[in-house]
Amino acid sequence: MKAALEGYKFVAPHIEYHDRMTINFGGKTLELMYMKGVHSESDTAIWLPKERVVFSASAFVVNQINILRPFVTIPDILAAGKMLRALNPEFVVPGHGTPGTTKIFDDGEKYYALLEERVGVLMRQGKSLDDIKKEIKMPEYASFGNQERMPTNVDAAYKALGGKI
């Protein structure tokens, strides 16, 4: 690692922002928007209003199962999607996957709704979280990458539906 960084100088961040910040850089306007609880502890979407492009960080991903860390919530993810959709972007650049349109948000919302529906059915049957993780089936998304992340998604759906972990 030391050799790979040879000749580079590390510059730590020296500006903080909370919620929103606008930067004018090289004739471009970049609007930074904090997104709580969508992937990491410091996700920022970047909106270029003139170009109508939003960089959505990893709030939504394309053709893969996202890793949902313990502090990530499905309601926060959906709120971020609603906020970004309200910008009326022409192009959406996700943190992972092929750039596209707001269809990325639509697809993510459908996935989480179906996941919550199926987890809810199993919860109402009295299944434990461990059993739900073993029994959950999402064949519509079998071709998605990172299937090993499904248990973190089940955890998030379980919590969103009132389950205690």
Side-chain angles (χ1 to χ4, degrees), residues 36-77:
K36 175 184 173 280
V38 300
H39 185 70
S40 73
E41 293 177 339
S42 58
D43 284 296
T44 294
I46 302 172
W47 169 236
L48 284 75
K50 183 178 177 186
E51 295 82 0
R52 295 189 48 230
V53 174
V54 68
F55 291 81
S56 63
S58 293
F60 291 85
V61 294
V62 177
N63 296 328
Q64 59 186 292
I65 305 298
N66 207 350
I67 181 114
L68 301 186
R69 294 172 176 88
F71 55 83
V72 171
T73 74
I74 292 173
D76 284 341
I77 293 169

Side-chain angles (χ1 to χ4, degrees), residues 21-127:
M21 180 175 163
T22 300
I23 298 173
N24 293 300
F25 183 78
K28 302 276 185 202
T29 298
L30 297 95
E31 296 179 10
L32 283 59
M33 293 167 278
Y34 171 67
M35 295 183 294
K36 175 184 173 280
V38 300
H39 185 70
S40 73
E41 293 177 339
S42 58
D43 284 296
T44 294
I46 302 172
W47 169 236
L48 284 75
K50 183 178 177 186
E51 295 82 0
R52 295 189 48 230
V53 174
V54 68
F55 291 81
S56 63
S58 293
F60 291 85
V61 294
V62 177
N63 296 328
Q64 59 186 292
I65 305 298
N66 207 350
I67 181 114
L68 301 186
R69 294 172 176 88
F71 55 83
V72 171
T73 74
I74 292 173
D76 284 341
I77 293 169
L78 298 176
K82 183 177 180 179
M83 175 185 72
L84 298 177
R85 183 190 314 281
L87 299 170
N88 194 27
E90 186 173 347
F91 302 102
V92 175
V93 182
H96 303 277
T98 307
T101 66
T102 56
K103 183 178 183 306
I104 292 170
F105 305 142
D106 297 338
D107 292 346
E109 290 169 3
K110 287 177 190 171
Y111 166 78
Y112 290 117
L114 186 59
L115 177 65
E116 285 185 344
E117 176 185 317
R118 292 187 179 158
V119 168
V121 165
L122 295 172
M123 288 174 74
R124 288 188 294 281
Q125 291 175 3
K127 305 282 183 171

Side-chain angles (χ1 to χ4, degrees), residues 125-139:
Q125 291 175 3
K127 305 282 183 171
S128 70
L129 177 57
D130 286 338
D131 287 341
I132 293 170
K133 287 179 183 179
K134 291 174 191 167
E135 294 181 29
I136 195 79
K137 301 286 186 250
M138 298 287 283

